[in-house]
Amino acid sequence: MIFSFLIQMIVLVAVLALVGPILGWAIARVMDRPLGGDSLVSKIESGLLRLCGVDPTQEMDWKRYSIAVVQLTAVGIVVLALIQMVQGWLPLNPQGFDNVPFHLALNTAISFVTNTNWQSYGGESTLSYFTQAIGLTPQNFISAAAGIAVLMAFVRGIRSQSSASLGNFWVDTMRAIVWILLPLSIVLSIFLAGNGVVQTLSRGPHGIAVGPAASQVAIKQLGTNGGGFFNANSAHPFENPNATTGLIELAAILLIPAALCFSYGHWVKRKDHGRGLFIVMTVFLVVGMGICYSSERITPSAPGQRSLVVGGNMEGKEMRFGIPQSVIWATATTAASNGSVNAMHDSFRPMGGFVTMAIMALGEVIFGGVGSGLYRMILFAMLTVFVGGLMIGKTPEYLGKKIEANETRWVIIGLIMPSLAVLGGLSIALVIPGISTLLTNPGAHGLSEVLYAVLSAANNNGSAFAGLNANTPGMNTLLGVLMLVGRLAVMLPVLAIAGGLSVKSPGPDTDSAEITRSLLFYVLLGSIIVIVGALTFFPVFVLGPIADALRH
Amino acid sequence: MWNWTIWKNALTDSVKKLDPRYQFKNPVMFIVWVCALITTGSLLTHSTRLNSSLWFLITVSVFLWATVWFANLAESVAEGRGKAQANDGIPSDREVIQGVAAVNESALTIILICLSLIFVVGFATLLPVARFLAPDMPNAITVIQLAALLVCLIPTTIGGLLSAIGIAGRDRLVRKNIIAMSGRAIEAAGDVTVLLLDKTGTITHGNRRATDLFPAPDVLPEQLADAAYLASISDETPEGKSTVELAKKLATPTILDGNYSDAEFVPFSAASRMSGVIIGDRDIRKGALDATIKWVTECGGAVPEAAKHQAETIARQGGTPLLVADNGKIMGVIALRDIVKDGIRERFGELRGSGIRTVMITGDNPFTAAAIAAQAGVDDFVAEATPQQKLALIRKLQAEGHIVAMVGDGTDDAPALAQADVAVAMNSGTQAAKEAANMIDLDSDPTKLIDVVQIGKQLLATRGALTTFSLANDIAKYFAIVPAMFTPIFPQLSPLNIMHLGTPETAIASSVIFNAIVIGLLLPIAMRGVTITAQPLVTILRRNLLIYGVGGLIVPFIGIKLIDMLIGMWI
């Protein structure tokens, strides 16, 4: 079994390391290309922009860019919530589902608009084909594209020669959709449909749930969305029928976040830096997978009894994926802020569950969401140059731009807001009357179930531990707020930093640049990520998964 | 450091600073202050109801107050030293020092506040968590435990020493006889990438000096010296004086002892560009090359090619040749040269080592400038510079992202000084220059900028080192306190007590005590500053990370264990 684990992990990392740079180069090219052109895609791009009434030549400073981000988020939430609340009267509803209640509709709308894709509902038993295909799927594209757009604005701030412009949010978003996400999704959904993933608009025989799944699965994986067509997500045979589709879907989770590291290297003309960030992320990922695997390979047994099963902890895992692919998927999906699952994390042994929670608690920077993972990682890199710069007696400088009081403030705010939301959300969740009745487990494991939910929401991951019935007005509202905070309270500080940096002129290539070229920098970066995460969450993790693990 | 008056004043001062209105200005220490108040309050009111031992409550209360007080003391001692220095005759306006805006300090303060906020929220969460996990244990986690945990985890070490570091840094400048009017400039000093220096009075001694005498082909050296001496005895300019000094070494004794009260002096004028003396029938002149040649030719004398050649050589080397003529006969050439200050070449080398490019600015012609530049070892020079050009140069360098330091003393330097990021005016300079600058060097020694740079770097590095140390400490404190707090809820957590601390109470008390005394132990480092050596930056970073990061990780494990053992002997 260990060979199966190692081989799949090595294949996954190799795919990322080989395809990542190529895709990264391509993404860097298309995001930086001038508007217009004769190709079909350029015509679609400019046509759609005209249709949306966007003036593509308008340059936005950080405030205008932020307003555009908030506008898109707000409109997306309202439209998506409305579609759900009237789906019973809309077409493409062969199962005749009712309108979705307000609190669930709002939660789901925020969830998909913020690229979280937390699901308080079961897809096949709640949402019509119309809602899934016309409501949710477009948001899968838009939310991922918005992440790339904000990253792009950040990049422009970092590399600009004292100009206030960060580009145009609408153009950046549209460009990410038509040049990156759509082509990749089309290829992937055709592959998936050809390999047994369901794609139909008709009602399934004998009440079997089917639907237009393949097209949603493709973007759900590629856009680090993760909201499954079916409740069982990628553990469901119609979403993920075999180990081959499993491995492809797995690679799709990490593909764009990994590629963006290399794009970043091109954008800021520091390929070594993009590569360095990729390596740091990969090291965390591999270590996480290793710990998770070593936890799950052990067969659980009740104290004093011999286990009746062999071959590790198979509870909540699919036979066709086995422990290796389940463990790799679980680590990848929580690392990349994807949130799709092919096994039930609640049934992992406590240390395995700890890995999935810890990797989210690090701030969704181990690849993280499309765009969002990298810009959060860059915030950490800025914190690292702040600490490192001080240690050598230099005002901190990141890629030639000085990190001063204004930037430092937004860096730290962007980094801690999701954590504050997690901790605050945990307090509120625990004082909701009757919280215990929503949980399947008491004590430490019950705490883990709640902790997982708030971590997943506030870090825009969206995967569920299971074991918590989150579809109550209270939990839906709380998690909705957390998702919104986790998205905007990072995006807006990032744009503020971009605005602050953009008007500065880059410094000469001094010795300070040597720091970001050294291995030591990446070691320090990794240590800071671990220490910030550990300092924030050590006590609750001790009381949750660690107490749970030591009990066994 | 061990001046008793300073300590006596600091002791009273630090107690006065326990005033909450004062503490509020430092949010990190204010949190400690509030925690100390809560702990003392519950000690005085509920002590019987909380199932904690009396010694534990007293120890925690006392050391929480001690944490605040140590931080006050650190600040007061630093201030006291600054004041003592100021009383030693150096005019240092305390208002100016207090009004200093420290940019980087405020950036760091934001980080410390945000970290503290995370801990406040994180530990407040533990109350509902404990109630969820152990509904039948209402006092599973006590307020005192939470207060102790909070104080140990928030960055009190750096929070308590931050202002002392800043004050000590400015104090080190004062010690070097430099008055800083802006904290921003001190911090910027560590980042200076280009240093502009005015040549005259900064790199060279203010005036040119006569360094050599070159006799004409048929003239003896003594004869030239005699002529040069006579031509200059009435010349009160520095050039004249230095010529007299040089000529004295060679001139014949009879000339030196002669009485020249009847001599008629010919003063220097801009028109003639010569000066001299008429003693009886001897008419001796010295002056600029072309002027003297003209005079000699008018007197009917000839100018030997060798002398002309010699003069040109001197000019090419950056010196100023003066021709000496006696009754229309060329006697030889006096070489006036700029004398580069002693040791300046080495100091510029040091600057280069720390990544700073030196640029000399002078009104001289390019030949002279190049020669002096080579002699002084500056990296670059700008010749024939006007005040406008100096200003334009600084603006251009700043637009390229350089941090520019400027050392100057003249009124024509003032605009450039006002534009530079770090502007050091010589105390000997004009009022305009001093007003435009943000630092004044009382010793008028331009190479002191090296010290300013060093102190600026030290200031940042000390903050960075103590921040890293403070945060690295937290890991050990978690391992001390968290198992102690949570084992009543989950007995299975006892393996996390990796230090094998005696009891939950001794574990928490030891952490609080360690946290308080570490402020005192680190005070000397805060005052002295972290050493920054002239090594590659990555090497410095590695070294400091090992000492303060890895050290900060290990030290508290040892310290807390030792304190725990000590407490264990008494309890």
Side-chain angles (χ1 to χ4, degrees), chain B residues 55 499-503 506-507 509-511 513 557-571:
Chain B
W55 75 264
M499 282 179 268
H500 298 287
L501 303 178
T503 67
T506 60
S510 323
S511 306
I513 294 172
F557 278 104
I558 301 167
I560 292 173
K561 177 71 187 167
L562 282 178
I563 298 170
D564 181 76
M565 286 160 68
L566 276 177
I567 297 177
M569 282 184 225
W570 285 319
I571 305 301

PDB file of all heavy atoms in Angstrom, chain B residues 55 499-503 506-507 509-511 513 557-571:
ATOM      1  N   TRP B  55      -0.465  30.709  47.271  1.00  0.00           N
ATOM      2  CA  TRP B  55       0.861  31.102  46.766  1.00  0.00           C
ATOM      3  C   TRP B  55       0.816  31.325  45.266  1.00  0.00           C
ATOM      4  O   TRP B  55       1.435  32.226  44.733  1.00  0.00           O
ATOM      5  CB  TRP B  55       1.932  30.063  47.108  1.00  0.00           C
ATOM      6  CG  TRP B  55       1.863  28.805  46.265  1.00  0.00           C
ATOM      7  CD1 TRP B  55       1.255  27.648  46.595  1.00  0.00           C
ATOM      8  CD2 TRP B  55       2.414  28.616  44.954  1.00  0.00           C
ATOM      9  NE1 TRP B  55       1.376  26.744  45.571  1.00  0.00           N
ATOM     10  CE2 TRP B  55       2.084  27.308  44.557  1.00  0.00           C
ATOM     11  CE3 TRP B  55       3.149  29.418  44.078  1.00  0.00           C
ATOM     12  CZ2 TRP B  55       2.461  26.770  43.329  1.00  0.00           C
ATOM     13  CZ3 TRP B  55       3.523  28.884  42.857  1.00  0.00           C
ATOM     14  CH2 TRP B  55       3.182  27.590  42.487  1.00  0.00           C
ATOM     15  N   MET B 499       8.117  19.056  29.358  1.00  0.00           N
ATOM     16  CA  MET B 499       9.167  19.518  30.273  1.00  0.00           C
ATOM     17  C   MET B 499       9.067  18.838  31.629  1.00  0.00           C
ATOM     18  O   MET B 499       9.898  19.053  32.507  1.00  0.00           O
ATOM     19  CB  MET B 499       9.065  21.034  30.442  1.00  0.00           C
ATOM     20  CG  MET B 499       9.637  21.809  29.292  1.00  0.00           C
ATOM     21  SD  MET B 499       9.447  23.580  29.556  1.00  0.00           S
ATOM     22  CE  MET B 499       7.907  23.875  28.745  1.00  0.00           C
ATOM     23  N   HIS B 500       8.027  18.025  31.802  1.00  0.00           N
ATOM     24  CA  HIS B 500       7.768  17.367  33.091  1.00  0.00           C
ATOM     25  C   HIS B 500       7.748  18.373  34.220  1.00  0.00           C
ATOM     26  O   HIS B 500       8.472  18.254  35.203  1.00  0.00           O
ATOM     27  CB  HIS B 500       8.802  16.268  33.357  1.00  0.00           C
ATOM     28  CG  HIS B 500       8.743  15.179  32.334  1.00  0.00           C
ATOM     29  ND1 HIS B 500       7.731  14.251  32.287  1.00  0.00           N
ATOM     30  CD2 HIS B 500       9.549  14.911  31.276  1.00  0.00           C
ATOM     31  CE1 HIS B 500       7.914  13.448  31.259  1.00  0.00           C
ATOM     32  NE2 HIS B 500       9.016  13.834  30.622  1.00  0.00           N
ATOM     33  N   LEU B 501       6.939  19.409  34.063  1.00  0.00           N
ATOM     34  CA  LEU B 501       6.824  20.418  35.104  1.00  0.00           C
ATOM     35  C   LEU B 501       6.013  19.831  36.254  1.00  0.00           C
ATOM     36  O   LEU B 501       5.134  18.994  36.052  1.00  0.00           O
ATOM     37  CB  LEU B 501       6.152  21.672  34.541  1.00  0.00           C
ATOM     38  CG  LEU B 501       6.881  22.274  33.339  1.00  0.00           C
ATOM     39  CD1 LEU B 501       6.136  23.477  32.811  1.00  0.00           C
ATOM     40  CD2 LEU B 501       8.309  22.651  33.707  1.00  0.00           C
ATOM     41  N   GLY B 502       6.342  20.311  37.471  1.00  0.00           N
ATOM     42  CA  GLY B 502       5.797  19.720  38.698  1.00  0.00           C
ATOM     43  C   GLY B 502       4.287  19.595  38.699  1.00  0.00           C
ATOM     44  O   GLY B 502       3.731  18.492  38.560  1.00  0.00           O
ATOM     45  N   THR B 503       3.585  20.700  38.870  1.00  0.00           N
ATOM     46  CA  THR B 503       2.131  20.664  38.910  1.00  0.00           C
ATOM     47  C   THR B 503       1.619  21.702  37.937  1.00  0.00           C
ATOM     48  O   THR B 503       2.388  22.568  37.498  1.00  0.00           O
ATOM     49  CB  THR B 503       1.619  21.026  40.312  1.00  0.00           C
ATOM     50  OG1 THR B 503       1.937  22.405  40.536  1.00  0.00           O
ATOM     51  CG2 THR B 503       2.246  20.181  41.400  1.00  0.00           C
ATOM     52  N   THR B 506       2.609  25.139  39.288  1.00  0.00           N
ATOM     53  CA  THR B 506       4.016  25.542  39.146  1.00  0.00           C
ATOM     54  C   THR B 506       4.335  25.818  37.679  1.00  0.00           C
ATOM     55  O   THR B 506       5.116  26.709  37.368  1.00  0.00           O
ATOM     56  CB  THR B 506       4.984  24.462  39.684  1.00  0.00           C
ATOM     57  OG1 THR B 506       4.777  23.267  38.943  1.00  0.00           O
ATOM     58  CG2 THR B 506       4.792  24.210  41.156  1.00  0.00           C
ATOM     59  N   ALA B 507       3.706  25.059  36.788  1.00  0.00           N
ATOM     60  CA  ALA B 507       3.983  25.261  35.362  1.00  0.00           C
ATOM     61  C   ALA B 507       3.566  26.664  34.936  1.00  0.00           C
ATOM     62  O   ALA B 507       4.339  27.384  34.284  1.00  0.00           O
ATOM     63  CB  ALA B 507       3.233  24.216  34.526  1.00  0.00           C
ATOM     64  N   ALA B 509       2.926  29.300  36.918  1.00  0.00           N
ATOM     65  CA  ALA B 509       3.689  30.320  37.640  1.00  0.00           C
ATOM     66  C   ALA B 509       5.087  30.469  37.030  1.00  0.00           C
ATOM     67  O   ALA B 509       5.569  31.597  36.834  1.00  0.00           O
ATOM     68  CB  ALA B 509       3.782  29.956  39.118  1.00  0.00           C
ATOM     69  N   SER B 510       5.749  29.349  36.695  1.00  0.00           N
ATOM     70  CA  SER B 510       7.111  29.445  36.127  1.00  0.00           C
ATOM     71  C   SER B 510       7.093  30.208  34.809  1.00  0.00           C
ATOM     72  O   SER B 510       7.993  31.013  34.542  1.00  0.00           O
ATOM     73  CB  SER B 510       7.703  28.071  35.836  1.00  0.00           C
ATOM     74  OG  SER B 510       7.345  27.154  36.782  1.00  0.00           O
ATOM     75  N   SER B 511       6.061  29.956  34.008  1.00  0.00           N
ATOM     76  CA  SER B 511       5.998  30.659  32.721  1.00  0.00           C
ATOM     77  C   SER B 511       5.844  32.156  32.932  1.00  0.00           C
ATOM     78  O   SER B 511       6.491  32.963  32.270  1.00  0.00           O
ATOM     79  CB  SER B 511       4.826  30.140  31.898  1.00  0.00           C
ATOM     80  OG  SER B 511       4.902  28.762  31.778  1.00  0.00           O
ATOM     81  N   ILE B 513       6.718  33.889  35.565  1.00  0.00           N
ATOM     82  CA  ILE B 513       7.958  34.449  36.124  1.00  0.00           C
ATOM     83  C   ILE B 513       9.009  34.586  35.028  1.00  0.00           C
ATOM     84  O   ILE B 513       9.655  35.629  34.874  1.00  0.00           O
ATOM     85  CB  ILE B 513       8.486  33.544  37.270  1.00  0.00           C
ATOM     86  CG1 ILE B 513       7.501  33.570  38.437  1.00  0.00           C
ATOM     87  CG2 ILE B 513       9.864  34.010  37.718  1.00  0.00           C
ATOM     88  CD1 ILE B 513       7.818  32.575  39.527  1.00  0.00           C
ATOM     89  N   PHE B 557      12.497  26.834  27.288  1.00  0.00           N
ATOM     90  CA  PHE B 557      12.341  25.466  27.789  1.00  0.00           C
ATOM     91  C   PHE B 557      13.234  25.268  29.014  1.00  0.00           C
ATOM     92  O   PHE B 557      12.821  24.725  30.034  1.00  0.00           O
ATOM     93  CB  PHE B 557      12.708  24.442  26.703  1.00  0.00           C
ATOM     94  CG  PHE B 557      11.606  24.169  25.720  1.00  0.00           C
ATOM     95  CD1 PHE B 557      11.637  24.697  24.443  1.00  0.00           C
ATOM     96  CD2 PHE B 557      10.521  23.381  26.084  1.00  0.00           C
ATOM     97  CE1 PHE B 557      10.616  24.444  23.539  1.00  0.00           C
ATOM     98  CE2 PHE B 557       9.492  23.125  25.190  1.00  0.00           C
ATOM     99  CZ  PHE B 557       9.534  23.654  23.916  1.00  0.00           C
ATOM    100  N   ILE B 558      14.482  25.746  28.890  1.00  0.00           N
ATOM    101  CA  ILE B 558      15.430  25.600  29.998  1.00  0.00           C
ATOM    102  C   ILE B 558      15.014  26.489  31.163  1.00  0.00           C
ATOM    103  O   ILE B 558      14.930  26.047  32.315  1.00  0.00           O
ATOM    104  CB  ILE B 558      16.851  25.960  29.514  1.00  0.00           C
ATOM    105  CG1 ILE B 558      17.243  25.034  28.351  1.00  0.00           C
ATOM    106  CG2 ILE B 558      17.843  25.867  30.652  1.00  0.00           C
ATOM    107  CD1 ILE B 558      18.464  25.486  27.589  1.00  0.00           C
ATOM    108  N   GLY B 559      14.715  27.763  30.839  1.00  0.00           N
ATOM    109  CA  GLY B 559      14.397  28.728  31.887  1.00  0.00           C
ATOM    110  C   GLY B 559      13.170  28.313  32.684  1.00  0.00           C
ATOM    111  O   GLY B 559      13.183  28.325  33.927  1.00  0.00           O
ATOM    112  N   ILE B 560      12.108  27.924  31.988  1.00  0.00           N
ATOM    113  CA  ILE B 560      10.868  27.576  32.686  1.00  0.00           C
ATOM    114  C   ILE B 560      11.083  26.329  33.538  1.00  0.00           C
ATOM    115  O   ILE B 560      10.634  26.255  34.678  1.00  0.00           O
ATOM    116  CB  ILE B 560       9.719  27.376  31.671  1.00  0.00           C
ATOM    117  CG1 ILE B 560       9.370  28.726  31.032  1.00  0.00           C
ATOM    118  CG2 ILE B 560       8.499  26.769  32.331  1.00  0.00           C
ATOM    119  CD1 ILE B 560       8.374  28.651  29.897  1.00  0.00           C
ATOM    120  N   LYS B 561      11.831  25.371  32.989  1.00  0.00           N
ATOM    121  CA  LYS B 561      12.102  24.142  33.754  1.00  0.00           C
ATOM    122  C   LYS B 561      12.866  24.480  35.040  1.00  0.00           C
ATOM    123  O   LYS B 561      12.532  23.979  36.123  1.00  0.00           O
ATOM    124  CB  LYS B 561      12.904  23.168  32.886  1.00  0.00           C
ATOM    125  CG  LYS B 561      13.309  21.888  33.579  1.00  0.00           C
ATOM    126  CD  LYS B 561      12.115  20.984  33.821  1.00  0.00           C
ATOM    127  CE  LYS B 561      12.481  19.771  34.671  1.00  0.00           C
ATOM    128  NZ  LYS B 561      11.284  19.082  35.155  1.00  0.00           N
ATOM    129  N   LEU B 562      13.875  25.346  34.928  1.00  0.00           N
ATOM    130  CA  LEU B 562      14.676  25.708  36.107  1.00  0.00           C
ATOM    131  C   LEU B 562      13.809  26.388  37.160  1.00  0.00           C
ATOM    132  O   LEU B 562      13.876  26.051  38.352  1.00  0.00           O
ATOM    133  CB  LEU B 562      15.822  26.643  35.702  1.00  0.00           C
ATOM    134  CG  LEU B 562      17.022  25.970  35.031  1.00  0.00           C
ATOM    135  CD1 LEU B 562      18.060  27.010  34.648  1.00  0.00           C
ATOM    136  CD2 LEU B 562      17.625  24.919  35.951  1.00  0.00           C
ATOM    137  N   ILE B 563      13.000  27.361  36.720  1.00  0.00           N
ATOM    138  CA  ILE B 563      12.149  28.074  37.675  1.00  0.00           C
ATOM    139  C   ILE B 563      11.175  27.103  38.332  1.00  0.00           C
ATOM    140  O   ILE B 563      10.937  27.150  39.538  1.00  0.00           O
ATOM    141  CB  ILE B 563      11.394  29.226  36.977  1.00  0.00           C
ATOM    142  CG1 ILE B 563      12.396  30.238  36.430  1.00  0.00           C
ATOM    143  CG2 ILE B 563      10.433  29.908  37.936  1.00  0.00           C
ATOM    144  CD1 ILE B 563      11.789  31.270  35.519  1.00  0.00           C
ATOM    145  N   ASP B 564      10.648  26.178  37.515  1.00  0.00           N
ATOM    146  CA  ASP B 564       9.723  25.192  38.054  1.00  0.00           C
ATOM    147  C   ASP B 564      10.385  24.339  39.134  1.00  0.00           C
ATOM    148  O   ASP B 564       9.804  24.059  40.176  1.00  0.00           O
ATOM    149  CB  ASP B 564       9.211  24.297  36.914  1.00  0.00           C
ATOM    150  CG  ASP B 564       8.219  23.262  37.397  1.00  0.00           C
ATOM    151  OD1 ASP B 564       7.076  23.649  37.652  1.00  0.00           O
ATOM    152  OD2 ASP B 564       8.607  22.089  37.522  1.00  0.00           O
ATOM    153  N   MET B 565      11.657  23.966  38.890  1.00  0.00           N
ATOM    154  CA  MET B 565      12.378  23.168  39.891  1.00  0.00           C
ATOM    155  C   MET B 565      12.595  23.981  41.167  1.00  0.00           C
ATOM    156  O   MET B 565      12.474  23.458  42.276  1.00  0.00           O
ATOM    157  CB  MET B 565      13.719  22.695  39.317  1.00  0.00           C
ATOM    158  CG  MET B 565      13.553  21.560  38.295  1.00  0.00           C
ATOM    159  SD  MET B 565      14.981  21.380  37.209  1.00  0.00           S
ATOM    160  CE  MET B 565      16.194  20.793  38.363  1.00  0.00           C
ATOM    161  N   LEU B 566      12.914  25.276  40.979  1.00  0.00           N
ATOM    162  CA  LEU B 566      13.120  26.137  42.144  1.00  0.00           C
ATOM    163  C   LEU B 566      11.849  26.244  42.971  1.00  0.00           C
ATOM    164  O   LEU B 566      11.879  26.089  44.202  1.00  0.00           O
ATOM    165  CB  LEU B 566      13.543  27.544  41.687  1.00  0.00           C
ATOM    166  CG  LEU B 566      15.017  27.755  41.390  1.00  0.00           C
ATOM    167  CD1 LEU B 566      15.258  29.163  40.891  1.00  0.00           C
ATOM    168  CD2 LEU B 566      15.847  27.472  42.642  1.00  0.00           C
ATOM    169  N   ILE B 567      10.728  26.506  42.274  1.00  0.00           N
ATOM    170  CA  ILE B 567       9.459  26.621  42.997  1.00  0.00           C
ATOM    171  C   ILE B 567       9.160  25.296  43.705  1.00  0.00           C
ATOM    172  O   ILE B 567       8.747  25.264  44.862  1.00  0.00           O
ATOM    173  CB  ILE B 567       8.300  26.977  42.042  1.00  0.00           C
ATOM    174  CG1 ILE B 567       8.535  28.336  41.395  1.00  0.00           C
ATOM    175  CG2 ILE B 567       6.976  26.993  42.792  1.00  0.00           C
ATOM    176  CD1 ILE B 567       7.474  28.727  40.393  1.00  0.00           C
ATOM    177  N   GLY B 568       9.445  24.194  42.998  1.00  0.00           N
ATOM    178  CA  GLY B 568       9.180  22.876  43.556  1.00  0.00           C
ATOM    179  C   GLY B 568       9.898  22.635  44.887  1.00  0.00           C
ATOM    180  O   GLY B 568       9.423  21.882  45.735  1.00  0.00           O
ATOM    181  N   MET B 569      11.035  23.288  45.091  1.00  0.00           N
ATOM    182  CA  MET B 569      11.770  23.100  46.342  1.00  0.00           C
ATOM    183  C   MET B 569      11.027  23.726  47.522  1.00  0.00           C
ATOM    184  O   MET B 569      11.176  23.315  48.650  1.00  0.00           O
ATOM    185  CB  MET B 569      13.138  23.754  46.224  1.00  0.00           C
ATOM    186  CG  MET B 569      14.125  22.926  45.434  1.00  0.00           C
ATOM    187  SD  MET B 569      15.712  23.752  45.483  1.00  0.00           S
ATOM    188  CE  MET B 569      16.206  23.629  43.820  1.00  0.00           C
ATOM    189  N   TRP B 570      10.265  24.783  47.229  1.00  0.00           N
ATOM    190  CA  TRP B 570       9.587  25.483  48.332  1.00  0.00           C
ATOM    191  C   TRP B 570       8.172  25.006  48.571  1.00  0.00           C
ATOM    192  O   TRP B 570       7.666  25.049  49.656  1.00  0.00           O
ATOM    193  CB  TRP B 570       9.570  26.997  48.041  1.00  0.00           C
ATOM    194  CG  TRP B 570      10.899  27.618  48.270  1.00  0.00           C
ATOM    195  CD1 TRP B 570      11.750  27.361  49.289  1.00  0.00           C
ATOM    196  CD2 TRP B 570      11.531  28.597  47.446  1.00  0.00           C
ATOM    197  NE1 TRP B 570      12.878  28.121  49.158  1.00  0.00           N
ATOM    198  CE2 TRP B 570      12.774  28.886  48.043  1.00  0.00           C
ATOM    199  CE3 TRP B 570      11.168  29.265  46.274  1.00  0.00           C
ATOM    200  CZ2 TRP B 570      13.656  29.821  47.493  1.00  0.00           C
ATOM    201  CZ3 TRP B 570      12.030  30.179  45.745  1.00  0.00           C
ATOM    202  CH2 TRP B 570      13.265  30.447  46.342  1.00  0.00           C
ATOM    203  N   ILE B 571       7.518  24.586  47.477  1.00  0.00           N
ATOM    204  CA  ILE B 571       6.106  24.239  47.626  1.00  0.00           C
ATOM    205  C   ILE B 571       5.984  22.814  48.163  1.00  0.00           C
ATOM    206  O   ILE B 571       6.495  21.885  47.547  1.00  0.00           O
ATOM    207  CB  ILE B 571       5.375  24.368  46.261  1.00  0.00           C
ATOM    208  CG1 ILE B 571       5.576  25.759  45.697  1.00  0.00           C
ATOM    209  CG2 ILE B 571       3.914  24.033  46.419  1.00  0.00           C
ATOM    210  CD1 ILE B 571       5.086  26.862  46.578  1.00  0.00           C
TER     211      ILE B 571
END
